[in-house]
Structures are given as C-alpha cells and as structure tokens.
C-alpha cells in the first residue's frame, strides 16, 4: 500500500507544490459561532452580512472569512446574537533553534535522547504497535528510508495542498517518534508506531490557526491516539482552544512544545492549555536548556538539545528546541498506549508520576525528566494488582 500511496502523493505534490506561494496579503478573520448554530445557518448569517467564506472549520463551529480591512460589516457581524467571537487568524511557528548540523550516521545509532528517557528496555515488550500518532508540522519526507514503512497517511492543509516536507522540521520530529529499528541512521522512541503526517506549516515553519485546526480535524477523522504539536503561538486563540478541547473530549493525547522563548512565564499555546502536555527541553547534562520556556503550565521535561534524527531528502541532522523535546513525549505516550489501553488524562498523569525529579523548580522542569521504563513498571504493577484481586 505504501509505494502506491507514495507515488500518488509524489505526483500530487509535484503537480501542486510548484504553485505553493505565500498567501496573498488579504485580511482574514475567524468568525466563531455560538454552540448549536449549524453549518447551514452560519453560512446564511455570513451571507446576510455580505461576508465571503474562505474555509469552513466545522470542528470548532467557525469559519475563516475574507474581509476588507476596516470593513464596517465585520463590526455589525460582531454584534449579531449568534456570534461568539471574531479573531485574527494568528500565525504560529515551529519551535526549533536556528542552528542545525548535518550528520551521516555509520550503521544505526540510538540517539542520546531515546536512551535518556529509558525507551530501550521497553522495546522488549512493545515498540508502539497499533498506535496512531498524528504529526501536525511541516510535513514528513515520505520516502525517507528510516521512516517510510511507518508512514500510514499524509495530508496537507496549506492553500497549495503540498504535503511534502520542504523545511525538514517535520521529518526530524517524525524520526524522534518513530524512526525504524533497522541497521541504518537512527531509531525513534516508538519504532513501530503508525505515523499520520499533516502539513500545516510552510517551508519557513509558519502556519496559521485555521490550518492547524483543519489539521487537528484530520487527525481526529483518522482516529489518532496521540497528536504531536512542535509549534507555538503567543496569542490566546478561542479557535485553537475549541479545537484542543474537541480532541481532548475524544480522548486524544495532546503533546506540545512549551516554547523556545526562555525566561519566566513564557509557555506558548497550545502547550499552555490544561488539556495539553507541555514539554520543556533539557540537555544531555540534564539541565534545562537555556532557550526553554518556563511557567506553571510546564508538565514534563524531555531531551531537546543536539538531537539526532531524520531530515528531509533522506538526510540526518542534529537539531535543538522544545520542538525536539515534545516528540520524545509523544513517542513515550505511544509506547504506554501500546502496552495498556488508557484514557488520555491517565497517560499524562502516568508520565508525570513516573518522571524523574531533576531538582529544578517546577516552572522549569514540570514533574521532571520522562522515564518510560518506570511508567511501564507502574502499569505492570497495577495489572498484577488486578490479577491478584488487590
Ligand atoms: Ca534506523
């Protein structure tokens, strides 16, 4: 199935990718309707005010609308009793540091981050089989020899519908979660997990709320168990919040990069939302990375400095950022779900309770460093307890 799928996507991307240009400087607003306003009614309301729909966002009862700047109609619309909010289609960015080093691994190398979170001992029991992970990112290199067997489906939500990774970030994230356990390159935290890659970020690592929401909707349709979000945004968005709540309600484990803003009280959205596992980054020395965002919303720490993983065009690179930390947690969550069926909230609590305290303030490290082996031991303990009727 994969080769045919790949050929189709390659053709699709080649035929459309060439026309992938930056969105024209039009003004867009997201109009959020009150609960219970259906799609048809919302279309009628917008038509009444003469407002053109660019994209419908059924997951969040909202529409992305094209509006002329300083349009009086949008002011009138905001006073309509069926409207909950009107906001900008904010821009989000991937959370990677601007330096990267190309590497050519000899044979297969286990990256230090995978070792640090004790994923290896768990592979004796499972490698993430049967768990679906959605990656909302810049796309994934679908023909990468260290990833392709795990890529189940790919999708694009940008205007050009390109699905290929023209940045490299999404491929790097995918490798940390699920690079294949073979004799080349690297190996991911959960090397048998199923990847659902959705491109919502362009080659510069920029995306918009409307695209992210569409990508999350696709993940929900594909019934993914975990979603990795290695991006962040400073603005509070009602639209993104609604999308996050919708996926949480559907029992999806949501993992996001805390952000690379450094300093205090600097956790970005969506990591800042309580439904999401906010991941801070540490180095090999187990100290918080200088760039890692901190604040009371940080849940957990994972490796995020000089992380070796797959890169676009079949390559490998060392990259740093909370973007690199989050996929360690997504992979860890996938391993746990592969071993034992659990609710999304239980996965979060289990990862936090098993985390190793690194001795830094909670705002910096959250519960501490991810420890997959310990989390699995807790599951086995509960199972044994049940078997013995305790
Ligand atoms: Ca490999």
């Amino acid at each position: 199935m994969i080769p045919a799928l790949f050929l189709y996507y390659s053709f699709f991307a080649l035929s459309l990718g060439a026309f992938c240009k930056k969105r024209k400087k039009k003004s867009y607003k997201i109009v959020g309707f009150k609960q219970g306003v259906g799609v048809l009614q919302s279309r009628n309301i917008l038509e009444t005010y003469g407002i053109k729909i660019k994209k419908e966002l059924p997951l969040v009862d909202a529409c992305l609308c094209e509006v002329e700047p300083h349009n009086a109609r949008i002011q009138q619309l905001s006073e309509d009793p069926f409207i909950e909010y009107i906001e900008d289609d904010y821009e989000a960015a991937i959370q990677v540091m601007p330096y990267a080093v190309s590497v050519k691994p000899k044979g297969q190398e286990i990256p230090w981050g995978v070792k640090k979170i004790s994923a290896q001992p768990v592979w004796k029991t499972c490698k993430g089989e049967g768990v679906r992970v959605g990656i909302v990112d810049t796309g994934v290199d679908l023909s990468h020899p260290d990833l392709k067997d795990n890529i189940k489906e790919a999708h694009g939500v940008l205007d050009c519908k390109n699905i290929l990774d023209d940045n490299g970030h999404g491929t790097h994230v995918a490798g940390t979660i699920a690079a294949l356990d073979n004799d080349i390159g690297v190996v991911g935290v959960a090397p048998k997990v199923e990847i659902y890659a959705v491109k919502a970020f362009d080659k510069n690592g920029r995306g918009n709320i409307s695209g992210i929401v569409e990508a999350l909707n696709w993940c929900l349709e594909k019934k993914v168990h975990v979603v990795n979000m290695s991006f962040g945004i400073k603005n509070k968005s009602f639209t993104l919040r609604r999308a996050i709540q919708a996926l949480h309600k559907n029992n999806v484990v949501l993992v996001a990069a805390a952000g690379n803003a450094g300093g205090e009280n600097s956790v970005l959205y969506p990591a800042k939302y309580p439904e999401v596992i906010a991941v801070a980054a540490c180095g090999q020395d187990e100290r918080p990375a200088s760039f890692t965002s901190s604040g009371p919303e940080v849940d957990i720490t994972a490796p995020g400095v000089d992380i070796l993983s797959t890169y676009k065009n079949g390559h490998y690179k060392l990259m740093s950022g909370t973007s690199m930390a989050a996929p360690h947690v997504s992979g860890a969550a996938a391993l746990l779900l592969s071993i034992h069926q659990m609710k999304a909230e239980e996965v979060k609590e289990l990862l936090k309770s098993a985390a190793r305290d690194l001795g830094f303030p909670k705002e910096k490290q959250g519960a501490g460093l991810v420890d997959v082996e310990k989390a699995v031991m807790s599951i086995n303990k509960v199972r044994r307890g049940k078997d013995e009727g305790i």
Side-chain angles (χ1 to χ4, degrees):
M1 179 194 175
I2 291 296
L5 189 76
F6 171 65
L7 279 176
Y8 167 71
Y9 283 138
S10 301
F11 172 73
F12 196 57
L14 280 171
S15 54
L16 289 164
F19 303 104
C20 193
K21 289 181 183 146
K22 204 176 160 69
R23 187 190 272 186
K24 282 181 196 152
K25 280 279 172 218
K26 280 182 185 164
S27 184
Y28 294 97
K29 294 274 183 197
I30 298 177
V31 178
F33 294 89
K34 287 198 173 141
Q35 245 188 351
V37 180
V39 174
L40 284 179
Q41 199 183 351
S42 58
R43 277 182 205 157
N44 287 339
I45 292 167
L46 291 170
E47 203 181 9
T48 309
Y49 288 90
I51 289 167
K52 198 176 155 194
I53 299 171
K54 161 92 174 153
K55 196 187 275 184
E56 284 175 341
L57 304 168
L59 179 70
V60 290
D61 300 322
C63 287
L64 178 67
C65 299
E66 218 175 294
V67 288
E68 301 297 328
H70 317 297
N71 191 324
R73 286 172 184 164
I74 207 88
Q75 178 59 37
Q76 290 162 359
L77 179 69
S78 69
E79 287 156 18
D80 190 287
F82 291 111
I83 302 298
E84 179 93 30
Y85 66 86
I86 298 175
E87 67 181 13
D88 289 343
D89 190 14
Y90 300 115
E91 196 174 78
I94 54 174
Q95 294 301 304
V96 64
M97 298 307 283
Y99 46 86
V101 182
S102 290
V103 175
K104 279 187 182 165
K106 289 182 190 118
Q108 178 171 275
E109 201 174 300
I110 299 176
W112 76 262
V114 175
K115 288 182 195 158
K116 185 67 92 179
I117 63 166
S118 304
Q120 258 178 298
V122 177
W123 295 342
K124 280 176 277 177
T125 318
C126 90
K127 289 181 171 177
E129 293 90 340
V131 177
R132 298 184 286 274
V133 178
I135 301 177
V136 179
D137 216 292
T138 59
V140 173
D141 178 354
L142 305 177
S143 58
H144 200 296
D146 223 358
L147 283 170
K148 61 180 181 182
D149 292 354
N150 281 344
I151 300 169
K152 281 286 159 193
E153 230 174 291
H155 182 65
V157 300
L158 298 180
D159 288 351
C160 60
K161 300 291 173 202
N162 182 18
I163 56 163
L164 295 187
D165 186 6
D166 47 8
N167 177 283
H169 182 271
T171 304
H172 199 278
V173 164
T176 297
I177 298 171
L180 300 166
D181 190 3
N182 46 20
D183 54 1
I184 58 158
V186 291
V187 57
V189 175
K192 284 199 173 165
V193 105
E194 297 175 5
I195 298 172
Y196 287 78
V198 50
K199 182 172 177 64
F201 288 79
D202 65 15
K203 66 174 180 183
N204 300 312
R206 301 276 164 185
N208 287 83
I209 294 288
S210 59
I212 294 164
V213 168
E214 209 185 335
L216 290 171
N217 198 9
W218 182 79
C219 288
L220 195 58
E221 282 169 11
K222 296 296 159 191
K223 297 188 165 49
V224 303
H225 302 96
V226 181
V227 172
N228 188 84
M229 298 178 285
S230 283
F231 58 83
I233 181 169
K234 274 186 193 163
N235 309 74
K236 196 173 189 167
S237 157
F238 292 109
T239 312
L240 184 58
R241 182 70 200 269
R242 280 185 174 187
I244 292 294
Q245 283 176 331
L247 267 77
H248 185 254
K249 228 168 120 184
N250 280 278
N251 206 24
V252 179
V253 179
L254 299 158
V255 182
N260 296 352
E264 288 173 11
N265 265 320
S266 52
V267 176
L268 303 177
Y269 296 102
K272 202 163 176 167
Y273 294 127
E275 297 85 1
V276 178
I277 305 177
V279 188
C282 71
Q284 223 165 331
D285 57 2
E286 300 187 356
R287 296 182 65 81
S290 57
F291 54 75
T292 198
S293 288
S294 63
E297 302 88 0
V298 171
D299 288 301
I300 206 157
T301 293
V305 179
D306 293 335
I307 301 302
L308 179 62
S309 184
T310 45
Y311 194 73
K312 65 175 177 169
N313 301 327
H315 295 160
Y316 296 88
K317 268 193 182 180
L318 286 171
M319 292 170 88
S320 301
T322 48
S323 266
M324 281 66 240
H328 284 91
V329 176
S330 294
L335 285 179
L336 299 184
L337 285 170
S338 184
I339 289 172
H340 191 64
Q341 211 181 1
M342 273 179 288
K343 292 216 167 83
E345 268 311 303
E346 289 173 320
V347 172
K348 183 178 183 176
E349 287 318 309
L350 182 57
L351 283 169
K352 286 176 81 166
S353 64
R356 178 157 58 87
D357 185 1
L358 299 174
F360 294 95
K362 285 259 175 289
E363 289 74 15
K364 274 275 174 203
Q365 67 160 27
L369 183 68
V370 179
D371 187 334
V372 190
E373 193 183 12
K374 194 173 165 198
V376 170
M377 273 157 52
S378 311
I379 293 176
N380 291 340
K381 216 167 151 187
V382 171
R383 275 174 161 182
R384 270 200 303 275
K386 276 185 184 160
D387 290 346
E388 287 159 18
I390 298 167

